[in-house]
Each structure stands twice: as structure tokens, then as C-alpha cells.
Amino acid sequence: MKADLHPDYHMITVQMTDGTTFQTRSTWGKEGDTLVLDVDPTTHPAWTGGQQRVNEGGRVAQFNKRFGGLSLNKK
């Protein structure tokens, strides 16, 4: 392995949104720093199975929803 090529790999503390902490090795920050998470597996809908936004249609559907009452037919 080449010298001075890889970043420093050290122990940090990770704090979850509910306040629990655990220690892991990382290249983030400095030795002993605490990484405070804004989103983690205990709160994110992708992991908790919560409400997810469903695509409500494409451009035409959005146009019709907004301007559906207008009539463009020539008589």
C-alpha cells in the first residue's frame, strides 16, 4: 500500500435521532467526534414502511387537473 494515500480511519460516535449512540470506525471528522444524524433507519419512511408519496400522474394529468374546466374546442 502506498504511504499517505488513504485517509485517516479512526473511531467516531454516531448519535441517532432518538438519542441512542454507537461507536464505529470512519474517515469522517476526527478521532472522538460525534456524528449527529438528521435521518436514520428509525425515522425514515423507506425503513419504517410509512407513508410514501405516489406519483400522481405525468405532465398531461397535472395540466388536466389544473385546467380541466377549460374548453379548447372550436365550434
Side-chain angles (χ1 to χ4, degrees), residues 7-68:
D8 181 35
Y9 197 56
H10 49 269
M11 293 298 288
I12 65 165
T13 302
V14 178
Q15 181 178 352
M16 307 284 263
T17 56
D18 63 359
T20 59
T21 61
F22 65 91
Q23 294 220 316
T24 188
R25 295 184 55 147
S26 176
T27 58
W28 180 86
K30 294 178 274 187
E31 178 80 28
D33 281 353
T34 301
L35 175 63
V36 180
L37 299 178
D38 293 332
V39 177
D40 63 22
T42 62
T43 60
H44 195 278
W47 289 292
T48 61
Q51 181 84 16
Q52 296 180 0
R53 278 191 80 160
V54 177
N55 189 2
E56 297 176 0
R59 293 297 218 177
V60 174
Q62 288 177 358
F63 179 86
N64 289 335
K65 182 178 177 183
R66 187 170 178 185
F67 301 108

